[in-house]
Amino acid sequence: MSDFSKMTGLSKETLRYYAEVKLLEPAYINPENNYRYYDDGSYFLATLLVKLRRFGFTIQEMISVMADESFAHLEDLLVQKRKNIQVQIEDLRLQLEEIDEFIASGREESE
C-alpha cells in the first residue's frame, strides 16, 4: 500500500477510481512506472472525501462538492444530509416499534 493510501485510508483501487471520475487526481504520474504522486492539497481533498463518504454522500454528490472549488455550498449540503439522516433515524425508530408490536401480538396469540 502506498504512503498516500496509508495516510488517507483510501485503498489504491479507490484512489484510481477517484482519479477516473475526476474526484481526486494525482499531482503527478511518473510516465516510466505509472507511480502516482500526491501533494498537500491532494491530502486535504482526500481527507474531505473520506469524511463525505462516511457521511453517506454518493459519488455524484462528492463530484458536485469538488466541482465547487470554493466549497461555498458544502455547509448547505451537509445540513441537508443531516436532515436526511434524521429522517432515516426516525423511520428506523418507527420500524423498531412496529417490530416490537408485531412480536408482542404474536406472543399474545400464543398464550
Side-chain angles (χ1 to χ4, degrees):
M1 191 178 274
S2 74
D3 290 341
F4 190 73
S5 180
K6 287 178 190 171
M7 287 171 36
T8 61
L10 295 170
S11 70
K12 287 181 182 181
E13 294 77 21
T14 299
L15 288 170
R16 279 191 212 100
Y17 177 69
Y18 284 0
E20 282 177 31
V21 296
K22 308 283 191 236
L23 261 178
L24 179 65
E25 298 181 75
Y28 172 74
I29 300 176
N30 185 326
E32 293 176 16
N33 59 14
N34 285 332
Y35 190 81
R36 299 159 183 266
Y37 294 90
Y38 297 88
D39 57 15
D40 290 344
S42 301
Y43 178 75
F44 166 76
L45 295 175
T47 303
L48 176 60
L49 289 171
V50 168
K51 282 282 189 206
L52 295 179
R53 188 168 71 175
R54 173 76 179 104
F55 296 156
F57 277 64
T58 65
I59 290 293
Q60 198 56 48
E61 288 170 327
M62 291 192 297
I63 289 171
S64 171
V65 167
M66 298 309 238
D68 178 14
E69 293 178 5
S70 69
F71 299 110
H73 302 290
L74 180 55
E75 185 175 345
D76 294 338
L77 291 171
L78 288 169
V79 167
Q80 185 57 50
K81 186 61 71 175
R82 188 176 192 290
K83 288 178 184 175
N84 293 346
I85 290 171
Q86 286 177 316
V87 168
Q88 290 174 330
I89 289 170
E90 183 59 20
D91 286 346
L92 290 172
R93 191 187 64 70
L94 291 173
Q95 286 178 29
L96 283 174
E97 284 181 16
E98 289 178 34
I99 289 170
D100 291 344
E101 289 171 8
F102 189 73
I103 290 170
S105 69
R107 286 184 183 146
E108 290 170 6
E109 290 175 8
S110 63
E111 291 176 359

